[in-house]
Amino acid sequence: MPTIVIDGPVMKSVEQKRRMVEKLTDAAAEVYGYDKKIITVVIRENSPENVGSGGRLIADIHAESS
Amino acid sequence: MPTIVIDGPVMKSVEQKRRMVEKLTDAAAEVYGYDKKIITVVIRENSPENVGSGGRLIADIHAESS
Amino acid sequence: MPTIVIDGPVMKSVEQKRRMVEKLTDAAAEVYGYDKKIITVVIRENSPENVGSGGRLIADIHAESS
Amino acid sequence: MPTIVIDGPVMKSVEQKRRMVEKLTDAAAEVYGYDKKIITVVIRENSPENVGSGGRLIADIHAESS
Amino acid sequence: MPTIVIDGPVMKSVEQKRRMVEKLTDAAAEVYGYDKKIITVVIRENSPENVGSGGRLIADIHAESS
Amino acid sequence: MPTIVIDGPVMKSVEQKRRMVEKLTDAAAEVYGYDKKIITVVIRENSPENVGSGGRLIADIHAESS
């Protein structure tokens, strides 16, 4: 029943999401010593306008550095 | 002030969401013994490409079983 | 795989938690039209010193009204 | 590494999000006594059809009061 | 109904929590243009053994730098 | 700034937590193509009385199967 929620950027492809789910599940199953069948992963994709770091929007940090 | 967050699939209709909010709120209010006025529900709808079970995307599990 | 997380006060007994899990699961299973086997519930118990409503700690609201 | 997640309505503009990230970060940094560089904020925007208060959808409460 | 959840370290005092709730609520109410009465804050206190940054436990980072 | 939150059982040792943080961080960093420095992991440990699966407390499922 463990649940992993990962909050990050918008992802590039279904293949990238597939790998994320596979690798996070394998990591958790191994460390807990659980069958991976009972592990759920939820990927949250966030726009750079909806995340801030150090008090600034990621969208603004990206705009400045480009 | 209790808050219920439910992470599940994309829902079929506003009517289904209305019933989800009503039933989860009633359940929590009854068990806590609280007025339902102070209970908040947030429904998160997740694409089958963003959820994994047992290390595989729900999108892939669905594709295989159809 | 739906997951329900409920954030509320410290609960009174295991029996109260048992009823919370049962009722929230039944509600979600019925509205989604899913088997309840795939539904997970996580109860988070929060001290009144760790929750605020309207800008004030629940602990302070309780102290004032008692 | 503190992380602030705020669940609220759909926001009006990037400028409003910019101010939210700035003000929440400043508040947390000051109270913790931390450099704001290590604070992350995630803004979740929720449709009024996906949030309930007192057992009713925000969408329905709005419809009735307008 | 907006809800703010802040995940950070164990806090030093009730007074520090009181200020956190007050300041985060004021910030969100002002930016949303809402009455602060409808805003909830939940403070999650995490042990340095339960948080990692850059792949290392905060507990280990602290041990090394002291 | 990606943040991984894992909700599972009470863990056995600090060493187990250390490995969980290390492995989840490595997995996410590799799949996103990010430096692991910007990834945060939060481990939430839940009592078997506070988690339900299929409408039943984990504590009850364990008691029955032992």
Side-chain angles (χ1 to χ4, degrees):
Chain A
M1 275 66 63
T3 301
I4 301 167
V5 177
I6 181 162
D7 259 286
V10 175
M11 296 187 75
K12 292 170 191 162
S13 64
V14 177
E15 177 55 24
Q16 196 189 25
K17 295 176 182 183
R18 188 177 286 126
R19 289 174 52 224
M20 185 65 86
V21 161
E22 187 182 325
K23 286 182 169 292
L24 291 178
T25 302
D26 285 351
E30 183 193 323
V31 178
Y32 280 134
Y34 283 174
D35 189 312
K36 67 184 180 184
K37 273 191 303 188
I38 66 169
I39 294 176
T40 299
V41 176
V42 178
I43 298 171
R44 297 206 201 287
E45 298 179 280
N46 300 283
S47 151
E49 294 180 356
N50 282 18
V51 182
S53 178
R56 299 181 61 212
L57 293 180
I58 299 295
D60 291 340
I61 297 173
H62 285 181
E64 199 162 272
S65 63
S66 65
Chain B
M1 274 66 63
T3 302
I4 301 166
V5 177
I6 181 162
D7 259 285
V10 176
M11 297 189 75
K12 293 170 191 162
S13 63
V14 176
E15 178 54 25
Q16 196 189 25
K17 295 176 182 182
R18 188 177 284 126
R19 288 175 53 225
M20 186 64 87
V21 161
E22 188 183 326
K23 285 183 171 291
L24 291 178
T25 302
D26 286 351
E30 185 193 322
V31 177
Y32 280 134
Y34 283 175
D35 189 312
K36 67 184 180 185
K37 273 189 305 186
I38 65 169
I39 294 174
T40 299
V41 176
V42 178
I43 298 171
R44 297 208 202 283
E45 298 180 279
N46 300 282
S47 152
E49 294 179 357
N50 282 19
V51 183
S53 177
R56 299 180 62 211
L57 292 181
I58 299 294
D60 291 340
I61 297 173
H62 285 181
E64 197 162 273
S65 64
S66 66
Chain C
M1 279 64 66
T3 302
I4 301 167
V5 177
I6 180 162
D7 258 286
V10 176
M11 296 188 76
K12 292 170 191 163
S13 64
V14 177
E15 177 56 25
Q16 196 188 25
K17 294 176 182 183
R18 189 177 284 125
R19 289 174 53 224
M20 186 63 88
V21 161
E22 187 183 325
K23 285 183 171 293
L24 291 177
T25 303
D26 286 351
E30 184 193 322
V31 177
Y32 280 134
Y34 283 174
D35 190 312
K36 67 185 179 184
K37 274 190 303 188
I38 65 169
I39 294 175
T40 298
V41 176
V42 178
I43 298 171
R44 295 207 203 285
E45 298 180 278
N46 300 283
S47 152
E49 294 179 357
N50 282 18
V51 183
S53 177
R56 298 181 61 212
L57 291 181
I58 298 294
D60 290 339
I61 297 172
H62 285 181
E64 197 162 272
S65 64
S66 63
Chain D
M1 278 64 64
T3 302
I4 301 167
V5 177
I6 181 162
D7 259 287
V10 176
M11 296 188 75
K12 293 170 191 162
S13 63
V14 177
E15 177 56 24
Q16 196 189 26
K17 295 176 182 182
R18 188 177 285 125
R19 288 174 53 225
M20 185 66 86
V21 161
E22 186 183 326
K23 285 182 171 290
L24 292 178
T25 302
D26 285 351
E30 183 194 322
V31 178
Y32 280 134
Y34 283 173
D35 189 313
K36 66 185 181 182
K37 274 191 302 187
I38 66 170
I39 295 175
T40 299
V41 175
V42 178
I43 298 172
R44 298 208 200 286
E45 298 180 279
N46 300 281
S47 151
E49 295 180 357
N50 282 19
V51 182
S53 177
R56 300 180 62 212
L57 291 180
I58 299 294
D60 291 340
I61 297 173
H62 285 181
E64 197 163 90
S65 64
S66 65
Chain E
M1 275 68 61
T3 302
I4 301 166
V5 177
I6 180 162
D7 259 287
V10 176
M11 296 188 74
K12 292 171 192 161
S13 64
V14 178
E15 178 55 25
Q16 197 189 25
K17 295 176 182 183
R18 189 176 285 125
R19 288 174 52 224
M20 186 66 86
V21 161
E22 187 182 326
K23 286 184 170 291
L24 291 178
T25 303
D26 286 351
E30 184 192 322
V31 177
Y32 280 135
Y34 283 174
D35 189 313
K36 67 185 179 183
K37 275 190 302 188
I38 66 169
I39 295 175
T40 299
V41 175
V42 178
I43 298 170
R44 296 207 203 284
E45 297 180 279
N46 301 282
S47 152
E49 294 180 357
N50 283 19
V51 182
S53 177
R56 299 181 62 212
L57 292 180
I58 298 295
D60 290 340
I61 297 172
H62 285 180
E64 197 162 275
S65 63
S66 64
Chain F
M1 276 66 61
T3 302
I4 301 168
V5 178
I6 180 161
D7 258 286
V10 175
M11 297 188 75
K12 291 170 192 163
S13 64
V14 177
E15 177 55 26
Q16 197 189 23
K17 295 176 182 182
R18 188 176 285 127
R19 288 174 52 224
M20 185 66 86
V21 161
E22 186 182 327
K23 285 182 170 291
L24 291 178
T25 302
D26 285 351
E30 183 194 322
V31 178
Y32 279 134
Y34 283 174
D35 189 310
K36 67 184 179 181
K37 274 190 303 186
I38 66 169
I39 294 176
T40 298
V41 175
V42 178
I43 298 172
R44 297 206 201 285
E45 298 179 280
N46 300 282
S47 153
E49 296 180 357
N50 282 18
V51 182
S53 178
R56 298 181 62 213
L57 292 180
I58 299 295
D60 291 340
I61 297 172
H62 285 181
E64 198 162 272
S65 64
S66 65

